[in-house]
Amino acid sequence: MNKNQILKQYFGYDSFREGQETLIDSILSGRDAFGIMPTGSGKSLCFQIPALMMEGITLVISPLIALMKDQVAALNQAGVFAAFLNSSLTASQYHKALSFAKEGKYPIIYVAPERLMTEEFQDFARHARIAMVAVDEAHCVSQWGQDFRPSYLKIVDFINQLPVRPVVSAFTATATKEVREDIIDILMLREPEVVTTGYDRPNLYLGVQAPKDKYAAVKNFIDTHPNQSGIIYCQTRKLVEEVCDRLGRDGISVTRYHAGLSDKERHQNQDDFIFDRYQVMVATNAFGMGIDKSNVRFVLHYNMPKSIEELYQEIGRTSRDQEPGECILFYSGQDVVMNQFFIDNNQDNQELDDLTRKVVTERDRERLKKMTYYCFTNECLRDYILRYFGEYGSNYCGNCVNCLTQFETVDVTEIAKALIGCVSSSRQRYGVNVIIDTVHGANTAKIRQYRMDTNPYYSVLAKTPSYKLRQVVNHLMLKEYLTVTNDEYSIVKLTADSEKLMESQEPVMMKMAKEQEPALREKTGKKSKKPKLAGVELTEQDEALFEKLRRLRAEIAKEEKVPPYIVFSDKTLVHMCAVKPKTKTEMLTVSGVGEFKYDKYGERFMQCMDSDLSI
């Protein structure tokens, strides 16, 4: 079979997405390849399809057990023999899988990087025909990447010990220019075909809120998005427990995930979420990498992540089937302090020398600063993320809170100069709150203790609301007229541009929301029109049919012991509702239905639709 026939027969698609065919052709020609493609864009097909056409075995290096299990289950459901080799297998299971691999039963084998250098696996690899080594989540190889894993550095040693060098391919969704160069150098890719399809996920709504009561905001969001699957990320295990317990008491179908749970409970909770037994997962950032659940419709950040890379990875778990999804970050100043603490007490880089560890820490602090600016900016949030990764758009996406909020351009020169003057006259010794309280004229114990009530700028902006003063401070930091120190006290400091602003006759202009509340138009607090699925606005009758098909899918998933989305995605079920196929030919026109899956499930789904239509 050729690549198009494989795409249709095993995966049920009629055409390739952007970048896929270029990478597949490169690999089939024997050339190394490097794909930087957003989550949900079909990266895995770029190495799975060549693997089914090449003579020999494709080894897929994967960082997490969950990712391997998910992808192998999906391949087996599609009719492709595949296996994984990792620590989740018992000794007998591992030896049995390795025995089948030696017999050539599997064209695709997923393996953890830690397994590569074991004597048993190396013996297998030396005597097998390895056609390709595909490195998934390739950013893990770079110490400048957000998920650096020292075990990934062993990949090149493993490849160099093979009798014949295979094609090497690498794939990631997140890589700045520096990380891309690092990946190519460390993996020693030979003149690779590099394809970057962009970082944009236009189906995702992006928002930032600064609510006084985070829990109430989260609960309100879930209440207005009934029956939707979603993830809530919290900064600490303690917060995960608190939020999960409160949601459970409030009647939400919820479970939890963090490193403090036993392996058994973590695996059980993860399965409960993946198999749709629970609607909402509350978790630390230990959860999610490799989770391919396609019907996650929202990701809420209870706290601000440490970096744009982390934010992008986590929101990437939303609507992997390209349907509409929502990603809301609930910000507070305490998030910055807590993240700074995590960076300063990071234990993940102990294998690095002192100088490199210091450089990595400074890099993490700079990333935290860029992440904080994301929460401040009144510009397009999507454009902010894209520019971070080196892409430039129109600064208007029409699907983020800032693009959907009415702004006006305001002259804030007087406020800006008073704030900078206060920082200067207090000899750059205090944090943001003290500066704002001083110019606002607050009569607090701290202001009196620091004698800021005698500062020449005390009370000069008494009539300006505190929230507006904070907005201007954030704007000055965003434009680098002010900065804050990277320590637990976060002291406000002047920059090289501070004096230029004070001496300039040019006005300082900034965008401000017309609403009185500065954080966010309450998009998430109202029930909106049901979004289209797969570009189709379902009728009430079709919605009932969709739910009926979902129940059948759940029944089959239970029989097969796989997550429901591995049987068919929501998108495929919606297409069925639109097409209402009555024959095999019609059923094979549905996106996501290939020959193998038709043979397994097609008749049952057509009978389900037929019985519904005959009522």
Side-chain angles (χ1 to χ4, degrees), residues 550-562:
R550 284 184 68 186
R551 288 193 293 272
L552 173 59
R553 180 181 65 178
E555 182 184 315
I556 292 172
K558 191 173 182 180
E559 294 168 7
E560 298 274 343
K561 296 183 172 58
V562 297

Side-chain angles (χ1 to χ4, degrees), residues 298-313:
F298 63 83
V299 165
L300 307 181
H301 280 90
Y302 205 83
N303 310 100
M304 183 187 75
K306 294 194 296 292
S307 67
I308 295 292
E309 287 95 337
E310 188 176 315
L311 173 77
Y312 186 83
Q313 282 273 2

Side-chain angles (χ1 to χ4, degrees), residues 422-466:
C422 184
V423 173
S424 178
S425 61
S426 60
R427 298 196 292 281
Q428 307 177 67
R429 291 183 297 175
Y430 303 112
V432 170
N433 290 339
V434 170
I435 298 302
I436 289 175
D437 284 349
T438 299
V439 298
H440 195 53
N443 185 23
T444 65
K446 186 176 283 188
I447 291 295
R448 292 193 299 273
Q449 177 189 342
Y450 295 159
R451 302 187 67 182
M452 289 297 281
D453 52 348
T454 64
N455 185 283
Y457 289 91
Y458 180 76
S459 196
V460 297
L461 298 174
K463 294 182 180 179
T464 306
S466 294

Side-chain angles (χ1 to χ4, degrees), residues 208-214 217 329-333 375 517-520:
V208 176
Q209 288 192 43
K212 292 178 181 177
D213 185 337
K214 284 189 179 183
L329 191 164
F330 299 101
Y331 169 81
S332 73
C375 301
E517 285 294 326
L520 180 66

Side-chain angles (χ1 to χ4, degrees), residues 384-401:
Y384 186 95
I385 292 174
L386 295 179
R387 278 188 282 117
Y388 181 86
F389 289 114
E391 294 182 10
Y392 297 89
S394 64
N395 201 27
Y396 179 85
C397 72
N399 197 26
C400 78
V401 63

